[in-house]
Amino acid sequence: MKRNTFALTALTALFFAMGFITVLNDILIPHLKVIFDLTYFQAALVQFCFFGAYFITGGLWGKVIQKIGYPTGVMLGFLLTAFGCILFYPAASTASYPIFLGALFVLASGVVLLQAAGNPFVTLLSPGREAAALTLTQAFNSLGTTVGPLFGAAFILSGTAEYASKAAEAQSVQMPYLFIAGVLILLAVVVRLLKLPDVRDAAEEMSVANNDGKTSAWQYKHLVFGALAIFCYVGAEVSIGSFLISTMKDVAGIVEKDGAQLIAYYWGGAMVGRFLGSAAMSKIEPYKCLSFNVAMAITLVVLSIVLGGKAAMYLLIAVGFFNSIMFPTIFSLATKGLGRFTSQASGIICMAIVGGAIIPPVQGFFADSIGLLLSYFVPVICYCYIMFFATLGHKAE
């Protein structure tokens, strides 16, 4: 048990790194939009390439982890993500948007491997308290998403107005991403040295105890419903984060650099909510916490559309707090009792994270056609499906 506690503590670095890297996309979108004179739809392709990697590689990584184990999966995930960061250097030198997107895809593939290994690793290390443990470790993911925008504002957006050419502006991302690559390589070395426990045997024992005769994770209805809920959750959260800086500029006249600092409150709210949620779910059923948070998110987004102005900005930032427990709670409810199919289920859920690739361009399309603020009806629809999963879908079995 002590070894499990030590392993869970070590995994907090993994979740911090994933959050830090993912949220930098919110900085890249307005930055690259200006550099390459993109529409909202074209700028949202940053998220399409990043989260598209989840759909393309998620199932593959689930099978790989089943063969190599969770600790090795974490180590390789750090190394692949670092390689993607390094590719930003030649991508920026060419000042080509398509090459930027290619580098993002490689980086994202490493993050997918980290997700596919990290989330089930935590649940298998925490039998009986899966939702609370995953929410707590995910809080460090939110710490990464809180620090990330501040890092991006200081080292990526800070000099935008001073650059004399498109090439010089594009190259502003080189050193920050090389620094991140160095840290990730160091984390891979640390994971190798720690010799974290492999929990595949525990997963197999769980399957034997269940004795439900299932031959595939796809046969569990609550997993399928949960994967769709993850699709909607990631799509809604990423879409709001992607357009929040532009919304601030549109409704309140806030420049991109200041907006990047304010967006830290959106992700910071998720961090606070996860710490509080982890404590709450030790006393309240996870699905009840999920239902309440989804209802609040729907209310806040609808009010932002209706009220507009600075009120909309503050209401959308507040959504971050209620997003907090959604991913870990959906994940733990969707994978509960899957035993030896847990790694396959994790791969399926990672594929569902492609919602972050699909929903932002959809919202971007509506932002170009009906206006940015009205386009937020798209995440509202996503939250409505999550409400179904919270109330009925997770009980499908």
Side-chain angles (χ1 to χ4, degrees):
M1 194 66 179
K2 286 184 178 179
R3 195 180 180 198
N4 285 4
T5 301
F6 173 74
L8 287 169
T9 303
L11 287 172
T12 58
L14 179 156
F15 287 95
F16 176 88
M18 287 193 299
F20 185 94
I21 292 167
T22 302
V23 81
L24 284 181
N25 292 345
D26 296 345
I27 305 300
L28 286 175
I29 286 175
H31 186 60
L32 297 178
K33 186 177 185 297
V34 171
I35 294 173
F36 298 109
D37 193 25
L38 306 172
T39 65
Y40 285 119
F41 175 80
Q42 291 170 329
L45 291 178
V46 165
Q47 302 292 28
F48 180 81
C49 285
F50 188 91
F51 288 96
Y54 280 86
F55 183 77
I56 294 171
T57 66
L60 169 65
W61 292 142
K63 294 176 182 177
V64 168
I65 292 164
Q66 205 165 7
K67 298 291 185 184
I68 66 175
Y70 294 97
T72 305
V74 169
M75 183 184 70
L76 293 179
F78 278 132
L79 292 175
L80 184 56
T81 307
F83 179 62
C85 290
I86 292 169
L87 289 178
F88 266 65
Y89 199 93
S93 297
T94 62
S96 168
Y97 187 52
I99 296 177
F100 259 113
L101 296 179
L104 264 173
F105 181 84
V106 175
L107 182 154
S109 297
V111 175
V112 178
L113 180 50
L114 289 173
Q115 285 271 17
N119 289 309
F121 201 176
V122 171
T123 59
L124 290 169
L125 286 168
S126 314
R129 46 188 291 271
E130 296 92 348
L134 189 55
T135 300
L136 181 60
T137 51
Q138 284 273 348
F140 289 89
N141 178 278
S142 297
L143 177 60
T145 59
T146 304
V147 175
L150 302 178
F151 176 88
F155 297 102
I156 296 176
L157 294 180
S158 61
T160 299
E162 302 168 9
Y163 295 124
S165 67
K166 179 192 295 187
E169 289 185 50
Q171 288 168 14
S172 66
V173 305
Q174 288 178 321
M175 295 312 297
Y177 274 88
L178 282 181
F179 171 77
I180 295 169
V183 173
L184 291 171
I185 292 170
L186 178 62
L187 286 173
V189 173
V190 171
V191 168
R192 181 71 179 87
L193 295 175
L194 287 178
K195 297 182 179 178
L196 299 177
D198 194 339
V199 289
R200 285 177 291 176
D201 290 341
E204 188 66 33
E205 289 171 8
M206 186 187 298
S207 291
V208 173
N210 288 344
N211 192 29
D212 56 15
K214 297 287 197 301
T215 57
S216 170
W218 287 106
Q219 293 175 315
Y220 294 86
K221 290 182 181 178
H222 69 292
L223 168 66
V224 176
F225 287 139
L228 288 172
I230 289 290
F231 177 94
C232 291
Y233 160 72
V234 176
E237 182 185 52
V238 171
S239 200
I240 293 173
S242 298
F243 295 109
L244 196 48
I245 293 176
S246 296
T247 302
M248 291 176 188
K249 184 177 181 180
D250 195 35
V251 303
I254 295 173
V255 298
E256 282 87 352
K257 182 183 176 183
D258 294 335
Q261 295 174 334
L262 286 171
I263 203 175
Y265 291 101
Y266 174 71
W267 298 108
M271 176 184 66
V272 173
R274 280 174 176 165
F275 279 117
L276 295 176
S278 177
M281 280 189 286
S282 63
K283 299 180 180 178
I284 304 171
E285 290 285 347
Y287 76 90
K288 292 180 180 178
C289 293
L290 180 60
S291 300
F292 173 78
N293 279 35
V294 174
M296 290 302 300
I298 292 171
T299 302
L300 290 171
V301 179
V302 170
L303 283 175
S304 71
I305 296 172
V306 173
L307 297 177
K310 284 192 174 182
M313 178 183 80
Y314 293 123
L315 288 166
L316 289 171
I317 289 173
V319 173
F321 178 82
F322 295 100
N323 279 337
S324 57
I325 66 160
M326 292 189 195
F327 184 96
T329 308
I330 295 170
F331 186 95
S332 60
L333 290 173
T335 59
K336 192 172 181 63
L338 265 63
R340 66 174 177 269
F341 301 115
T342 302
S343 59
Q344 182 192 4
S346 180
I348 292 168
I349 288 177
C350 278
M351 290 172 67
I353 293 175
V354 74
I358 304 299
I359 303 302
V362 170
Q363 184 175 351
F365 170 80
F366 283 107
D368 290 328
S369 56
I370 65 174
L372 187 53
L373 201 55
L374 287 175
S375 71
Y376 280 94
F377 82 88
V378 174
V380 170
I381 294 173
C382 294
Y383 287 127
C384 287
Y385 176 81
I386 301 170
M387 181 61 80
F388 157 75
F389 177 75
T391 54
L392 296 173
H394 76 281
K395 301 176 182 178
E397 289 302 313

